[in-house]
Amino acid sequence: MSDSNNSRPAISGQVASWLGVIAFVAVAIAVIAYAYLAFRSHDGVDADRRVAQKALRADLESKAKGKLTDSGRNADGTYHIPVDAAVALIAAKPEILAKLRQPSTNGGEAPPAPVFTNGNK
Amino acid sequence: MTDPHSSNNHSQRSSHDGSEGSSDSRLVEAHSQLAKNKEEPSEGFSSLPIVIVFLFCGFGFWAGVYLTRNAGGFSANSFDLDAPRLVADSGPKAFEPDLAKGQALFIQQCSACHQATGLGVPGAFPPLAGSPWPLGNDERIIKIVLAGLAGEIEVKGTKYNGNMPNIGAGLKDAQVANIVSYVRSAWGNNAEAVTDVKVAEVRKAIGGRAQYSPKEILEAHPLETK
Amino acid sequence: MSQEHSSSRSSVSRIDASVSLPVRLFIISSILWLLVASVLSLIVALKLQVPSFLSDCAWFTYGRLEVLQRNAFIYGWASNALFALNLWIMSSLARFELKSSWLPVLGGLVWNLTLTYGLIQVLLGQLNGFALLEMPKEVAPAMVVAFLFAALWPAVAFARRPTGNVFVSQWYIIGATFVFPVITVVAQLMLLWCPTLGVMQALVHSWFYQNLILLWLGGSALSAIYYFIAKESGRTISAYYLATVGFWTYFLFASWTGPATLLGAPIPVWLQSVGVVAALMMLVPIVITAVNFFGTLAPRSGIAQSWNNTTLRFVLVGTVSFIVSALLSVVFSTRSLNALVRFTEFTQAQEHLAVYSFVSMVIFGAAYYILPRLTGSFWPSAKLVHLHFWASTLGSLLFVVAGLNHGWAAHGRTDFAVSALPGLVAAALLFVGHFAFALNAFGMLTAEEAPSSRRSY
């Protein structure tokens, strides 16, 4: 308990020790962080490559999408789409279903154009 | 069941008789003494250190052996322990000619002249189907594929004066072996397959030479059949 | 001085009084987080059994709640409690009277507020993909700063110790205290702020994770085991001269065991092998700590005596769990066995064994020792202590055994039907135990607020 007697100036002393410990930790972290960042700085090439790959992927994707719409178009101007997409479409807009049925009820001069067909007709 | 709570109360009281700090400093003191004097004759653990030393030496030895055996040569590119073994296994294994690849390569590289049917174009490009040239001794055809052939030859009674380039020079040993094996087994041809090792040997033997003349190649490897 | 108070309450020593405020803050917040984590783990276990439970709202989906539970447990409960333990044990051993307790209190407040913010973000769906680094990246710097304020005081106490003598607990506390900020900053830097490429991320993460569990949580808990075994049994640690070797080998090898959790991953094979070697070399500190702990307690029916002591009973369960969990991770770091249990519940059970049965049980034991000395009063109910002990022990035992069994049975099968019932029962048991603990602790803390003897010095 004798330690506590000369503890008047120790208030700042404790905080000073604490700051010292923080400085120690900070130096340790700074050394590791610097080593890492310095080692890492020259692989900016990889970042460039990432950007390039991203652009390439976006390009391919948009091209693929363009292809999809072309091949999805029937000769008569209607589109065929996957069944689950059609179901989702109908679920979102039930009036499509009504439109689908309409041509079949309005007389028999022409067979109704199929709106949704199988891919292989 | 015993009641830990009551005994805990007891210990609480007893340890609070003295000041907390002093009992802790006694604890630190006692253990510092222990750390300095390694011998503890009263505890009867005298055989412990030697056993532990041997045990830890054993661990260390095992660790060294394990690391030398399983570290993949400390290479940054070795990702799988089994990978080097697989490569080692595949070394002495015999080359299996892949006729499908051979056919694909033949269509790419050869069919423009010799045709996919192997019949060639009469008067312009000699046939391979039923021809004695690709059959028999495999060195003849390998040499022709690697270095080419220029000059007048006669195949199945028809004369050809062609100029075959060194197609095989740009292909790998295995690719040449596949093509040659395909040619030697397709369209009713019936000759042994060719290995990439053989192709490599021939390639090394002939070096980067110019096209063969028919005379030269027939002197080295005369046709077995007419 | 103690006679004046001994009639109704024991006295509170000067040292304890000086750290009382921050330790109280840490313990109270840790218990609150423990309750949060227990409720969450109950919900998570229920969702495994009844997948549709609470699944309509994105906030309460399994992915978020599981993350929430894990982070609340590690950063809220275990870390807060270890701040308290490390500070208390270190200041006792180093005879340290904390003068400016507002600094650690400030740190504790920032730590808990930041954690709350981070967990709310997780609940809102802002997650990173790294276990125990899921909280948004802006949380990390704040938590590190909070740590520097809250948890560096043991190091200060150590630096200002009156004599040169050092007890093994102090090494472990110092090691753990320095490990946490370094691994957190480096891992955050290399994973979230300036991410490394590809598989390096997995490697860095495994390093961070193993260090966090084994060195920060495990190292702090080991210090408490050494302290309470020596203190409560009144004996000196047997084969104490080995403890130095144990300490250094523990810190050396544990920090290298990361790659052993990535066996078969596309990282260079030498790193995996070094991880395996480090995991197996963990046998050295395990043997040493086992000799230290059981060599101290085993003679003269010490085990039976410690079974009758609340603190030592918890610490004993924690010690056994430490050794079992360390041995399990040694055995299942070998390539052939690891291939069997990888990606199964087995790893979950192993982690639970380390984080709960080992670390948390030691914390409970320490809390049963520290809180009476801090408040100067007794635990209100012995029955609740019993309930807590048995619920926690059986609950974690059930969880671990069920997980190990499930992982072992599931290996190599895709059609394995998951029974989440044991996990649910275990979570319920743990919840009961934690509730009993919290009831007891808060009963004690509030009773002590009563007018009589609040001011001790």
Side-chain angles (χ1 to χ4, degrees):
Chain A
M1 295 293 142
S2 60
D3 188 38
S4 60
N5 290 340
N6 49 13
S7 65
R8 280 308 109 202
I11 295 174
S12 64
Q14 282 189 3
V15 176
S17 305
W18 175 63
L19 292 175
V21 175
I22 287 186
F24 179 72
V25 172
V27 166
I29 290 172
V31 167
I32 299 176
Y34 176 76
Y36 166 59
L37 292 176
F39 172 73
R40 186 178 176 278
S41 61
H42 58 76
D43 62 14
V45 198
D46 285 301
D48 294 348
R49 207 167 49 192
R50 264 187 208 168
V51 171
Q53 276 177 348
K54 220 173 193 177
L56 182 68
R57 208 175 302 138
D59 188 45
L60 287 177
E61 217 161 77
S62 70
K63 271 182 192 156
K65 265 183 193 159
K67 266 187 196 163
L68 249 185
T69 45
D70 283 348
S71 66
R73 188 189 275 267
N74 294 329
D76 58 357
T78 57
Y79 288 88
H80 55 259
I81 59 176
V83 171
D84 49 348
V87 169
L89 203 64
I90 291 169
K93 291 185 180 175
E95 61 268 22
I96 290 180
L97 207 60
K99 234 187 237 171
L100 266 180
R101 298 227 175 90
Q102 227 170 15
S104 61
T105 53
N106 70 354
E109 57 260 13
V115 180
F116 299 108
T117 63
N118 280 334
N120 54 1
K121 174 88 186 182
Chain B
M1 182 187 295
T2 53
D3 187 358
H5 188 67
S6 59
S7 70
N8 195 32
N9 283 352
H10 180 73
S11 77
Q12 253 176 33
R13 249 174 236 283
S14 59
S15 67
H16 270 270
D17 286 348
S19 96
E20 193 72 27
S22 71
S23 99
D24 271 310
S25 58
R26 236 183 289 128
L27 186 149
V28 176
E29 287 295 330
H31 284 92
S32 302
Q33 286 305 312
L34 279 180
K36 279 167 199 151
N37 314 336
K38 295 195 189 312
E39 285 306 310
E40 269 181 286
S42 60
E43 294 291 328
F45 263 127
S46 51
S47 66
L48 187 67
I50 197 74
V51 171
I52 283 193
V53 164
F54 274 114
L55 196 62
F56 293 172
C57 286
F59 292 158
F61 178 74
W62 173 87
V65 170
Y66 186 86
L67 266 189
T68 32
R69 288 207 181 153
N70 292 291
F74 289 96
S75 155
N77 295 320
S78 167
F79 292 93
D80 191 348
L81 268 186
D82 299 330
R85 276 181 221 148
L86 287 178
V87 170
D89 288 347
S90 74
K93 204 165 64 180
F95 173 75
E96 292 278 337
D98 188 334
L99 296 182
K101 278 185 190 161
Q103 184 178 22
L105 282 164
F106 179 84
I107 285 169
Q108 263 178 33
Q109 305 281 345
C110 320
S111 64
C113 302
H114 295 290
Q115 304 302 310
T117 55
L119 294 174
V121 179
F125 305 113
L128 299 172
S131 158
W133 286 72
L135 309 180
N137 188 340
D138 51 7
E139 281 189 30
R140 179 173 55 241
I141 180 170
I142 294 173
K143 281 181 176 171
I144 293 175
V145 170
L146 286 176
L149 179 68
E152 195 181 74
I153 58 170
E154 190 184 326
V155 181
K156 295 210 276 189
T158 313
K159 286 210 182 325
Y160 298 89
N161 193 352
N163 182 4
M164 175 169 164
N166 55 346
I167 302 273
L171 298 175
K172 291 177 188 160
D173 295 337
Q175 287 177 315
V176 173
N178 282 335
I179 292 179
V180 171
S181 301
Y182 171 71
V183 168
R184 280 159 73 88
S185 67
W187 319 299
N189 287 354
N190 190 9
E192 280 171 29
V194 170
T195 66
D196 57 344
V197 179
K198 181 76 184 177
V199 174
E201 276 171 17
V202 174
R203 196 196 289 270
K204 201 177 169 197
I206 65 175
R209 59 153 293 150
Q211 287 163 309
Y212 283 96
S213 68
K215 195 172 156 231
E216 189 184 358
I217 193 92
L218 287 178
E219 267 170 19
H221 311 288
L223 295 177
E224 288 80 2
T225 52
K226 269 290 164 190
Chain C
M1 48 183 168
S2 58
Q3 280 89 330
E4 299 156 31
H5 296 280
S6 60
S7 57
S8 63
R9 296 170 189 281
S10 315
S11 64
V12 178
S13 79
R14 291 171 70 106
I15 291 172
D16 288 354
S18 80
V19 295
S20 165
L21 192 58
V23 169
R24 252 171 233 243
L25 171 75
F26 295 143
I27 287 191
I28 290 173
S29 39
S30 74
I31 295 175
L32 290 178
W33 282 117
L34 178 65
L35 291 179
V36 171
S38 318
V39 173
L40 285 171
S41 70
L42 200 56
I43 297 176
V44 165
L46 201 58
K47 282 165 91 72
L48 278 182
Q49 182 73 7
V50 189
S52 60
F53 176 67
L54 280 182
S55 63
D56 294 333
C57 175
W59 283 34
F60 302 118
T61 41
Y62 181 85
R64 294 186 195 180
L65 288 189
E66 206 272 336
V67 167
L68 212 60
Q69 183 262 335
R70 186 194 288 251
N71 279 276
F73 192 84
I74 300 284
Y75 293 119
W77 152 247
S79 294
N80 261 315
L82 290 177
F83 294 163
L85 249 65
N86 288 351
L87 180 59
W88 190 86
I89 291 176
M90 185 60 106
S91 47
S92 295
L93 284 174
R95 318 268 318 269
F96 177 74
E97 280 185 54
L98 183 63
K99 293 287 186 282
S100 34
S101 58
W102 63 276
L103 281 170
V105 167
L106 179 70
L109 289 176
V110 175
W111 174 274
N112 287 299
L113 289 177
T114 324
L115 186 61
T116 313
Y117 166 79
L119 293 186
I120 288 175
Q121 291 298 311
V122 166
L123 206 56
L124 294 175
Q126 301 289 319
L127 278 80
N128 295 312
F130 301 102
L132 291 182
L133 286 176
E134 287 105 339
M135 288 184 284
K137 61 181 178 184
E138 68 267 19
V139 168
M143 282 182 81
V144 170
V145 170
F147 183 93
L148 296 182
F149 275 82
L152 282 192
W153 295 96
V156 174
F158 185 76
R160 301 178 69 78
R161 68 192 184 279
T163 65
N165 294 333
V166 181
F167 182 57
V168 54
S169 289
Q170 289 167 292
W171 309 332
Y172 277 99
I173 291 178
I174 289 292
T177 303
F178 283 126
V179 158
F180 184 87
V182 173
I183 59 163
T184 314
V185 169
V186 172
Q188 296 272 352
L189 183 74
M190 294 179 76
L191 294 177
L192 303 181
W193 294 93
C194 313
T196 55
L197 293 175
V199 290
M200 264 298 276
Q201 290 186 355
L203 199 58
V204 172
H205 178 253
S206 74
W207 168 80
F208 164 76
Y209 197 85
Q210 289 296 95
N211 274 267
L212 186 78
I213 302 289
L214 291 178
L215 293 187
W216 164 236
L217 301 181
S220 304
L222 277 177
S223 93
I225 296 184
Y226 271 111
Y227 180 79
F228 288 112
I229 282 187
K231 191 80 203 258
E232 279 291 68
S233 71
R235 303 173 180 184
T236 51
I237 299 291
S238 107
Y240 181 70
Y241 55 92
L242 286 175
T244 329
V245 185
F247 168 77
W248 285 110
T249 49
Y250 185 76
F251 271 72
L252 176 65
F253 294 129
S255 63
W256 272 93
T257 54
T261 61
L262 291 178
L263 288 182
I267 57 170
V269 74
W270 72 269
L271 275 168
Q272 301 177 30
S273 292
V274 168
V276 171
V277 164
L280 270 107
M281 293 301 280
M282 284 291 281
L283 279 171
V284 175
I286 296 168
V287 167
I288 290 178
T289 45
V291 166
N292 281 162
F293 299 150
F294 293 107
T296 308
L297 286 182
R300 303 191 300 278
S301 65
I303 303 272
Q305 281 169 27
S306 40
W307 193 250
N308 290 333
N309 175 305
T310 312
T311 298
L312 276 187
R313 189 188 277 201
F314 277 95
V315 169
L316 211 57
V317 172
T319 311
V320 172
S321 304
F322 164 68
I323 288 167
V324 171
S325 107
L327 285 178
L328 269 184
S329 59
V330 168
V331 171
F332 285 95
S333 293
T334 51
R335 281 191 159 86
S336 47
L337 287 174
N338 185 278
L340 298 180
V341 297
R342 189 189 300 162
F343 308 130
T344 67
E345 285 288 307
F346 199 92
T347 50
Q348 292 280 95
Q350 255 179 298
E351 188 188 315
H352 184 89
L353 196 60
V355 172
Y356 191 90
S357 310
F358 163 39
V359 175
S360 296
M361 289 304 263
V362 171
I363 295 174
F364 289 138
Y368 280 114
Y369 185 91
I370 294 175
L371 277 180
R373 279 155 183 81
L374 217 55
T375 59
S377 54
F378 298 133
W379 288 92
S381 162
K383 285 208 175 64
L384 284 179
V385 178
H386 272 299
L387 180 64
H388 176 207
F389 177 79
W390 287 111
S392 282
T393 307
L394 295 180
S396 68
L397 190 69
L398 180 63
F399 193 96
V400 169
V401 170
L404 295 184
N405 176 48
H406 176 253
W408 185 251
H411 71 79
R413 294 172 63 172
T414 51
D415 59 338
F416 194 72
V418 181
S419 169
L421 203 57
L424 184 59
V425 174
L429 272 174
L430 294 185
F431 176 75
V432 169
H434 298 161
F435 192 72
F437 173 61
L439 212 62
N440 229 348
F442 285 126
M444 180 176 197
L445 286 162
T446 50
E448 188 264 347
E449 297 296 328
S452 60
S453 66
R454 176 68 234 277
R455 272 243 59 82
S456 42
Y457 287 102

